Amino acid sequence: MKKKPYGGIISVPHYLLEQYGKMGTMVNRGRLITINTESMELISGRRTRNCSVVAVTRVIDYYRLNNGIESIPKDIKAIYKNVEEIAEAYGYSDKRGTVPFFISGISREAFKGYGIKAKCKGHYIFSFERHIKKEIDSGRPVIMNIARGFYKDHTIVVAGYSIWKIGNREYPILQVVDGWKSGFHYLDYEAFAKDITQSIFGSFNTTILKMAK
């Protein structure tokens, strides 16, 4: 059986059936964070290699709404312009995109520009429990950069998760905003983290506000 791509999943049960032979049973619905799900093109006004800039923008907009931060503009397009200017100082361009190691620095500086202290950290050795489940359960979206496979050289935002069971094995499924299209898609964390031919290389960027509720 040919393996399916780990990302861009629309129907989790049908994906599990094709990938693992059974539709599976959801054993943990997890938490879903309410976040802007517009495409990168809608947010930035153009189609280019700005996935990391848009991802940071989404997270800032989320905290604006979730924490009622009045210093952050209500217009997500205005937030994007501010983040893009900061990213350019870190070497971002439409042609090159953003160096993944700079995502946390761009995030931290963007929050600082709005008068907010934020602990932004990139995790290059990661686990589902520590860097996804714990963050989502705490109401904190996670920026995920992926080097290989379906989302090669792409940055997305993790906004939720669920855990499915097939036989004696559990499969964490991430609910993500990939920006290629508006709305949510799903990602098989097990396939991403364990299959070296498809993925495994990437990072998770977490954000904790000092003033967060």
Side-chain angles (χ1 to χ4, degrees), residues 8-57:
I9 300 164
I10 297 173
S11 169
V12 175
H14 286 91
Y15 164 83
L16 294 174
L17 178 62
E18 293 184 11
Q19 179 81 331
Y20 302 110
K22 291 185 179 180
M23 294 181 77
T25 303
M26 184 190 294
V27 294
N28 186 340
R29 189 173 297 276
R31 174 173 180 174
L32 174 62
I33 289 173
T34 301
I35 198 168
N36 182 290
T37 63
E38 292 178 316
S39 69
M40 296 186 296
E41 188 173 4
L42 283 174
I43 290 174
S44 68
R46 64 191 194 279
R47 185 186 293 269
T48 187
R49 300 185 65 183
N50 59 357
C51 54
S52 296
V53 180
V54 172
V56 172
T57 300

Side-chain angles (χ1 to χ4, degrees), residues 90-123:
Y90 281 81
Y92 164 79
S93 70
D94 285 354
K95 185 176 180 179
R96 292 190 301 268
T98 306
V99 176
F101 292 106
F102 294 151
I103 291 174
S104 58
I106 294 168
S107 298
R108 191 181 306 111
E109 195 168 325
F111 276 111
K112 185 179 179 181
Y114 294 121
I116 302 159
K117 291 184 179 180
K119 182 181 178 182
C120 305
K121 188 174 181 181
H123 305 272

Side-chain angles (χ1 to χ4, degrees), residues 117-189:
K117 291 184 179 180
K119 182 181 178 182
C120 305
K121 188 174 181 181
H123 305 272
Y124 304 95
I125 298 174
F126 45 80
S127 73
F128 170 73
E129 291 288 337
R130 284 187 61 197
H131 302 110
I132 302 170
K133 186 178 183 298
K134 180 182 176 181
E135 294 302 304
I136 298 299
D137 285 348
S138 299
R140 299 190 291 261
V142 179
I143 296 174
M144 180 179 181
N145 176 266
I146 304 169
R148 294 172 62 176
F150 183 81
Y151 285 129
K152 181 180 178 180
D153 296 331
H154 191 48
T155 300
I156 63 181
V157 175
V158 183
Y161 72 89
S162 57
I163 299 175
W164 296 68
K165 194 168 186 178
I166 299 176
N168 294 322
R169 292 194 63 181
E170 290 187 346
Y171 296 88
I173 301 293
L174 311 187
Q175 190 159 354
V176 305
V177 186
D178 65 26
W180 288 343
K181 294 182 180 179
S182 296
F184 288 112
H185 291 83
Y186 300 92
L187 183 151
D188 179 354
Y189 178 82

